[in-house]
Amino acid sequence: MPRRVRTTPRKRPRQARSRATVDAILEATAQVLVAEGYDKTSTNRVAERAGVSVGSVYQYFPDKDAVFFALAERVLEQSRGLFDALMPAMEAERPPWEALLDRMVDGFAVINRDPSVRAVWRNLQLHGEIVEADAALHEELIVRTTEIFGWYAPGADAAERRRVATMTVDVIGAVLFIGILRDDERTPQMRDELKLVIRRYLEPWIQAHQSK
């Protein structure tokens, strides 16, 4: 079962130099986690990889769990930020839904190549707080995708739009997540196959509900 641990940083970096140190610690944590796994990751290994003293790590984080939680928060915010960046442009342009799908899948695929993302998703189930935060973000993405489908399938009722949005978000997330777990070199090809699967799923539904 996911464990609950103290995740609050000792202090927040305020100056540019302090922020750079924390960034280096988080990047080093991701690299060590991907290379060696959670059990073998330690604050000493993180400090060594980051090029700082272990005291510098403890200045900001009480233990490796807190470092991991900070890394996870950053990764979840990246996913939320992708939607935040796309929404204004999408609302202004209202591109064809196929183009919008491509943007979404490509955006998440780019994020998933980040070592930080790989490190977090491979160890997600270790911490209950992160599992809950991920579930909340997942729900947020479903709600926002349901809203988007209102533009392209206004004839569908709210419950149906949510059902289709849930399937779309779940399938995209699952396929990309499996690619992270396997570190699959075929990921670019699988991304194209994913787009094809979602297009074939959405096309008849959108065509049937394009008008009220």
Side-chain angles (χ1 to χ4, degrees):
M1 289 186 59
R3 55 185 172 176
R4 291 185 174 276
V5 296
R6 176 185 174 184
T7 54
T8 305
R10 291 188 187 277
K11 70 175 186 177
R12 300 285 183 181
R14 301 191 181 281
Q15 298 181 346
R17 183 176 178 180
S18 299
R19 289 194 295 270
T21 298
V22 170
D23 286 344
I25 291 170
L26 294 179
E27 289 172 12
T29 300
Q31 293 167 10
V32 175
L33 282 167
V34 170
E36 303 180 22
Y38 196 88
D39 288 341
K40 294 183 179 179
T41 297
S42 67
T43 51
N44 285 325
R45 288 289 295 115
V46 168
E48 179 184 355
R49 181 66 67 93
V52 301
S53 69
V54 70
S56 294
V57 176
Y58 286 129
Q59 183 179 5
Y60 297 99
F61 304 102
D63 51 36
K64 76 172 183 179
D65 287 317
V67 185
F68 180 74
F69 191 82
L71 185 67
E73 284 186 317
R74 177 175 292 190
V75 166
L76 293 175
E77 195 55 40
Q78 276 184 291
S79 296
R80 181 177 288 105
L82 173 65
F83 255 78
D84 289 342
L86 285 176
M87 286 297 286
M90 291 188 295
E91 289 176 341
E93 300 171 18
R94 294 290 173 88
W97 68 266
E98 298 91 343
L100 176 56
L101 172 65
D102 287 351
R103 289 190 201 179
M104 291 172 63
V105 173
D106 289 342
F108 281 112
V110 168
I111 289 175
N112 285 359
R113 290 200 293 268
D114 186 331
S116 298
V117 175
R118 307 180 84 81
V120 169
W121 293 136
R122 288 178 179 180
N123 298 281
L124 182 70
Q125 298 300 322
L126 292 175
H127 295 81
E129 297 92 337
I130 300 172
V131 172
E132 292 174 2
D134 176 58
L137 175 60
H138 191 77
E139 171 62 18
E140 181 180 337
L141 297 182
I142 290 172
V143 169
R144 298 176 80 170
T145 302
T146 301
E147 176 186 346
I148 290 169
F149 283 166
W151 306 341
Y152 299 101
D157 62 34
E160 186 175 0
R161 289 199 302 270
R162 179 180 170 84
R163 183 171 65 249
V164 174
T166 300
M167 178 63 71
T168 301
V169 172
D170 284 357
V171 171
I172 291 174
V175 171
L176 295 179
F177 179 62
I178 289 171
I180 288 176
L181 292 182
R182 292 177 178 171
D183 201 12
D184 198 335
E185 63 182 12
R186 299 170 300 165
T187 296
Q189 291 86 354
M190 296 305 292
R191 182 184 63 216
D192 292 338
E193 292 296 312
L194 172 60
K195 292 178 183 178
L196 180 61
V197 167
I198 299 297
R199 284 196 194 106
R200 289 182 174 175
Y201 169 64
L202 290 177
E203 184 173 21
W205 178 74
I206 289 178
Q207 287 178 349
H209 298 89
Q210 285 182 330
S211 58
K212 292 184 178 180

